[in-house]
Amino acid sequence: MKRNIIIAGFFLSSIFPLAQQYGGMWIPTEVNEKEMKELGMKISAKDIWDTTKPSIKDAVVQFNGGCTAEIISPKGLLLTNHHCGYGQIQKHSSVKNDYLADGFWAKNNGEELPNAGVTVDFIADIKDVTPQILGNTKNLEAKQAEDVIKNNIETVTKSFKIEPYQKVVIKPMYYGNKYYAYIIDTYKDVRLVGAPPSSIGKFGSDTDNWVFPRHTGDFSLFRIYADKNNKPAEYSKDNVPYRPKHFLPVSIKDKKEGDFTFVFGFPGRTTEYLPSIAVEKIMNETDPAMIDVRDVALKTLDEKMRTDQATKIKYASKYASVANYWKKWIGEVEGLKKSNAVGKKQKYEQALIAKNPAIKTTIDEFNRLYTAQAPYALSRAYYTEVVRNAEALTLANNYYNFINAVESGRMDAKTLESFKNRMNSFYKDYDGELDAKVTAKVLALYANRVPAQYLPAGFEKFKDVNQNLKTVEEWSKNSVITGRGSLNGATAYSDLNKVFADQKALVQNLKKDPLMQLFTSMREAYMKNTDPKYNEYQSQIDALQKKYMAQQMETDRDRKFFPDANSTLRVTYGKVAGSNPKDALYYGYQTHLSGVMEKYIPGDYEFDVPQKLIDLYNKKDYGIYKNSTGDVPVNFTATNHTTGGNSGSPALDANGNLIGLNFDRQWEGTMSDINYDPKFSRNIMVDTKYILFIIDKFANAKWLIDEMKVVK
Ligand code: ARG
Ligand code: ASP
């Protein structure tokens, strides 16, 4: 019965009848081969995952612990997003060689640039170790079971025979109802090969972020290097390009709506199996609170960034990162409302209860726990965001840890050095005067929005923004932690070493610093009034969520469940598709170079276009990279269920050829982390034709194209 409700709901709202019902991010050893084939896949599950012979998984890696990347040549050429390689591109940039602004293209292997610390992880094997982890915990109560599980994880991790370059990571699935072991090969010599200028790789920047129609060439190229035996090795000039077991052929065939596609990568975190009450709290309370704080911070930063170039440069990366999730949460809240996520979940709960009345107790208990936790969750959301966005408080937080380390005797030379380095790079991109404004404003928000019982005594005095602006500027101007005030005649900017030379004097100074005192009172109030209660409820919620997950799986037998994303390798599949996000508004599935030119604003920091690209456009010099419309396709959308971490993931066709590079989702569908809905949820990819067009025609890096296997 419930199943009918859900299917009817999905089919009524779906624009094409073959839409998969639930989306899903599948463990590659357990993909739904039948449904994938029904949707059009021509290869088999074994071609995707096989440990006995080369398979597609051998070409997919986790890039530097966060994004995904894929191998596209027999010489270890690696494709990922521009925004994933951004840090590396930035590190190699200087005023003279500004690779962020102008792009970078190695002309041969010798010109490829090493990146200390950057790693790529291959998943060599996946083992279900549930019996070993949970076997002896059946009759234990929750707290005891937790300890036994911890022990088991340690023992099982050690039980694998691995190579020196391998590691074993055991991850819970389905909220701890299952456990999987991942055997991981880590390669450590990863070199930068190519990147387009930001005016291509980050075209549209924050304005277009999370938005379709999109026109971003969000890609960069790296190469994996190995030792002479093709094994992982630290960087050495004697290392050679890695020879992969498998690499992805690159298809430049035209795409059409309805084409089968799948995405293979490392999605970070989703929460698809929450009870309705949890979704309601996110939608109505915690998301809006976090959005509120960031609203204030971003507006204040933007005012100065627009008029002052130095500030623009200092804050570009921080602004982008704060704005990224700010914008995502706004989309998420709207999407949850629009897709009636709470209503759908409530119906689902009722249907589950009808089949298994015991679930009523679970739902009631969730309602009780989430309702009781709500004020603490809200207070926590504000606290975290206030400390993150008011940089004076972020700094104070760091110095708070510094004081603790000094006073407890944990501050050795190495810790001090790394602390100073961290602070030094923070100050480089810090504007104390601007931050004093941000801090003043978010403090007022904090004082006004959070009930007094969670705040330090006397905090009402921060309710008045205008007063705060004066007070905080005064404090900031004289503070050592902002780098504006001095100690022993030195500031963090003039001589950081001197500031830290006498640790005792520094600690004494810090303790008298009003910003430090403010932060300390906020932190102490938070640790006393919010944190313990929040955690107490959260651990009960976690235990209940584990039970509810098991109940959903036992009761809803027809549904194929996938575990929520947890940064492990997954396969998701769907169809190339446009969408109808609003009444009478239809987004086509594909954008083109002509659309880049429509958005072109000369000199603009988001929508400028490089002259060379304009020339190619004017001459229509598109080579083999145009499609049947005579234009070069730039981005396209599909119904693949993706999330943060899927950036850089390969989008493959029915034959396992690369057709796109995943980098974003469409705003109207970002609630997919909580409630995937095939009507609104679309992943956005860079078309392989655009990638090859930029490499070949724009960068003249034909030698890279020659390495690839191009499918025409
Ligand atoms: N929204 C995408 C993701 O979550 C892209 C972010 C990078 N781009 C940007 N303009 N901030 O990562
Ligand atoms: N842009 C995201 C990433 O960097 C992908 C997404 O959230 O859809 O992983």
Side-chain angles (χ1 to χ4, degrees):
M1 177 56 197
K2 74 190 176 285
R3 193 130 165 105
N4 293 340
I5 296 170
I6 290 160
I7 291 176
F10 272 96
F11 279 166
L12 281 179
S13 61
S14 177
I15 53 158
F16 49 87
L18 272 179
Q20 69 271 44
Q21 288 157 25
Y22 297 108
M25 302 171 170
W26 308 92
I27 300 174
T29 47
E30 301 170 8
V31 295
N32 193 348
E33 186 177 30
K34 187 167 160 280
E35 195 179 38
M36 291 175 85
K37 286 194 162 158
E38 278 163 15
L39 287 169
M41 183 170 78
K42 300 212 176 74
I43 56 175
S44 73
K46 276 243 161 222
D47 296 315
I48 296 174
W49 177 273
D50 198 334
T51 49
T52 61
K53 61 174 182 19
S55 58
I56 294 173
K57 70 111 169 145
D58 295 313
V60 182
V61 297
Q62 189 167 36
F63 183 81
N64 214 17
C67 288
T68 305
E70 55 277 2
I71 302 175
I72 55 169
S73 94
K75 294 176 184 165
L77 188 61
L78 201 60
L79 177 66
T80 189
N81 289 140
H82 187 267
H83 81 261
C84 295
Y86 199 80
Q88 285 68 51
I89 305 167
Q90 182 176 40
K91 277 198 192 113
H92 290 296
S93 294
S94 60
V95 177
K96 199 166 135 255
N97 291 316
D98 191 347
Y99 300 141
L100 279 179
D102 307 326
F104 167 78
W105 302 96
K107 284 190 218 57
N108 49 55
N109 287 147
E111 287 186 6
E112 296 169 359
L113 301 172
N115 301 285
V118 172
T119 56
V120 299
D121 284 349
F122 289 85
I123 305 304
D125 209 350
I126 303 174
K127 296 273 186 235
D128 182 350
V129 291
T130 311
Q132 294 96 302
I133 304 293
L134 294 182
N136 56 355
T137 65
K138 289 264 154 63
N139 301 315
L140 303 179
E141 47 110 1
K143 257 269 156 288
Q144 240 184 329
E146 238 176 72
D147 294 338
V148 176
I149 290 170
K150 240 198 211 143
N151 265 325
N152 290 346
I153 290 179
E154 230 172 82
T155 319
V156 176
T157 304
K158 283 189 197 134
S159 72
F160 283 92
K161 280 205 186 58
I162 53 170
E163 303 293 335
Y165 53 82
Q166 289 186 314
K167 65 180 177 221
V168 178
V169 176
I170 294 182
K171 291 262 197 169
M173 300 285 171
Y174 304 105
Y175 296 91
N177 284 291
K178 283 187 140 196
Y179 282 84
Y180 282 70
Y182 290 81
I183 324 298
I184 299 167
D185 295 355
T186 303
Y187 281 76
K188 293 179 171 175
D189 187 349
V190 183
R191 304 187 194 169
L192 178 63
V193 175
S198 292
S199 51
I200 290 173
K202 211 184 162 189
F203 183 73
S205 197
D206 294 314
T207 299
D208 267 10
N209 191 22
W210 299 110
V211 165
F212 201 77
R214 184 69 157 276
H215 299 84
T216 311
D218 194 347
F219 79 95
S220 59
L221 292 164
F222 288 79
R223 191 186 302 281
I224 307 174
Y225 278 75
D227 68 15
K228 293 204 168 61
N229 303 315
N230 209 31
K231 294 284 183 250
E234 296 292 337
Y235 168 80
S236 156
K237 59 178 176 17
D238 299 329
N239 286 345
V240 292
Y242 170 68
R243 284 167 279 114
K245 292 194 197 114
H246 180 76
F247 65 91
L248 303 180
V250 182
S251 166
I252 53 165
K253 285 186 183 159
D254 281 14
K255 296 162 189 64
K256 46 180 202 324
E257 193 142 30
D259 282 352
F260 172 79
T261 160
F262 69 104
V263 169
F264 206 175
F266 292 84
R269 183 176 133 87
T270 58
T271 46
E272 307 278 341
Y273 303 106
L274 296 175
S276 57
I277 179 80
V279 178
E280 200 183 305
K281 295 292 175 203
I282 294 171
M283 184 174 94
N284 294 332
E285 297 183 18
T286 45
D287 269 6
M290 299 191 293
I291 293 166
D292 259 8
V293 179
R294 292 195 179 196
D295 258 341
V296 170
L298 288 167
K299 272 201 196 97
T300 313
L301 294 177
D302 185 65
E303 271 167 31
K304 185 157 181 195
M305 286 170 72
R306 282 196 181 274
T307 55
D308 182 62
Q309 187 59 17
T311 309
K312 170 93 205 51
I313 292 168
K314 275 187 191 165
Y315 276 82
S317 172
K318 283 194 272 193
Y319 186 94
S321 126
V322 174
N324 191 31
Y325 264 65
W326 164 79
K327 197 164 178 183
K328 191 228 156 182
W329 290 324
I330 297 173
E332 183 168 276
V333 169
E334 265 196 33
L336 287 172
K337 286 186 182 153
K338 203 162 167 177
S339 62
N340 186 25
V342 173
K344 265 201 254 171
K345 291 241 175 217
Q346 282 169 343
K347 255 193 202 159
Y348 185 60
E349 285 156 11
Q350 288 315 312
L352 287 174
I353 291 169
K355 270 201 165 177
N356 177 2
I359 293 178
K360 178 159 188 321
T361 318
T362 307
I363 300 298
D364 289 348
E365 189 58 7
F366 269 133
N367 286 338
R368 184 185 74 76
L369 286 171
Y370 275 107
T371 306
Q373 191 197 38
Y376 303 100
L378 192 63
S379 162
R380 178 177 181 266
Y382 274 113
Y383 177 79
T384 327
E385 284 297 315
V386 164
V387 172
R388 170 181 180 148
N389 287 285
E391 293 181 282
L393 301 179
T394 314
L395 280 163
N397 196 3
N398 277 294
Y399 282 97
Y400 181 91
N401 295 330
F402 170 81
I403 295 175
N404 279 343
V406 172
E407 293 193 330
S408 64
R410 279 181 289 113
M411 184 55 77
D412 52 31
K414 208 175 138 204
T415 318
L416 179 67
E417 218 28 56
S418 89
F419 183 75
K420 283 198 305 196
N421 285 341
R422 200 146 43 84
M423 287 299 110
N424 202 24
S425 56
F426 190 98
Y427 289 121
K428 231 184 254 159
D429 292 332
Y430 180 65
D431 175 338
E433 200 181 324
L434 173 58
D435 169 50
K437 292 200 178 83
V438 176
T439 299
K441 291 183 190 175
V442 299
L443 274 176
L445 189 79
Y446 192 49
N448 282 298
R449 294 289 163 82
V450 177
Q453 77 231 55
Y454 303 108
L455 300 174
F459 209 76
E460 333 50 88
K461 65 172 174 285
F462 291 109
K463 284 188 172 179
D464 178 358
V465 183
N466 291 323
Q467 187 52 48
N468 289 359
L469 284 166
K470 286 186 214 127
T471 323
V472 176
E473 169 56 20
E474 194 55 31
W475 289 348
S476 164
K477 208 165 57 187
N478 297 305
S479 171
V480 171
I481 67 174
T482 60
R484 299 171 76 191
S486 62
L487 178 66
N488 292 331
T491 71
Y493 286 95
S494 71
D495 189 348
L496 190 75
N497 284 324
K498 202 164 164 199
V499 172
F500 280 88
D502 182 348
Q503 286 182 31
K504 236 201 210 129
L506 177 56
V507 169
Q508 255 172 22
N509 174 292
L510 290 173
K511 285 191 167 172
K512 277 189 268 159
D513 186 315
L515 280 174
M516 213 45 227
Q517 288 171 349
L518 168 65
F519 171 74
T520 307
S521 70
M522 285 170 65
R523 188 192 141 92
E524 280 166 2
Y526 174 78
M527 292 310 282
K528 181 158 159 274
N529 305 330
T530 300
D531 194 64
K533 276 288 189 191
Y534 175 85
N535 289 330
E536 187 188 316
Y537 287 120
Q538 193 56 41
S539 63
Q540 294 179 57
I541 288 171
D542 290 343
L544 193 61
Q545 183 67 39
K546 175 178 176 184
K547 179 172 168 190
Y548 182 46
M549 188 74 238
Q551 286 176 324
Q552 292 180 65
M553 294 168 84
E554 279 155 20
T555 310
D556 190 358
R557 291 245 160 224
D558 303 336
R559 177 170 172 186
K560 220 177 165 280
F561 286 86
F562 62 92
D564 265 322
N566 57 358
S567 292
T568 59
L569 184 60
R570 303 293 178 93
V571 173
T572 172
Y573 51 90
K575 294 199 158 209
V576 173
S579 62
N580 174 206
K582 273 198 183 100
D583 185 27
L585 181 66
Y586 185 78
Y587 295 155
Y589 67 97
Q590 192 157 52
T591 62
H592 296 90
L593 185 57
S594 56
V596 173
M597 296 309 296
E598 282 170 8
K599 285 181 177 172
Y600 172 39
I601 305 173
D604 184 72
Y605 83 99
E606 296 189 307
F607 293 101
D608 202 6
V609 175
Q611 188 56 45
K612 176 90 186 274
L613 190 59
I614 299 173
D615 295 343
L616 290 166
Y617 171 76
N618 286 336
K619 283 186 289 190
K620 303 284 171 281
D621 184 2
Y622 300 158
I624 55 173
Y625 307 113
K626 56 181 182 254
N627 65 13
S628 60
T629 70
D631 208 339
V632 184
V634 174
N635 293 155
F636 68 106
T637 56
T639 62
N640 296 303
H641 187 177
T642 54
T643 189
N646 268 124
S647 274
S649 297
L652 303 116
D653 67 7
N655 296 307
N657 297 321
L658 185 76
I659 55 169
L661 174 64
N662 188 71
F663 73 102
D664 208 2
R665 274 172 287 162
Q666 163 174 319
W667 205 55
E668 294 84 348
T670 46
M671 75 299 182
S672 61
D673 289 348
I674 297 167
N675 177 45
Y676 171 87
D677 187 331
K679 179 165 161 51
F680 303 115
S681 297
R682 295 289 177 276
N683 69 312
I684 309 179
M685 296 149 283
V686 193
D687 199 298
T688 41
K689 282 197 194 198
Y690 194 53
I691 295 172
L692 266 52
F693 167 73
I694 295 296
I695 296 174
D696 184 347
K697 294 281 176 177
F698 178 83
N700 293 320
K702 191 93 175 49
W703 72 286
L704 294 172
I705 307 273
D706 292 340
E707 267 185 59
M708 304 173 197
K709 183 171 162 193
V710 179
V711 180
K712 292 172 197 159

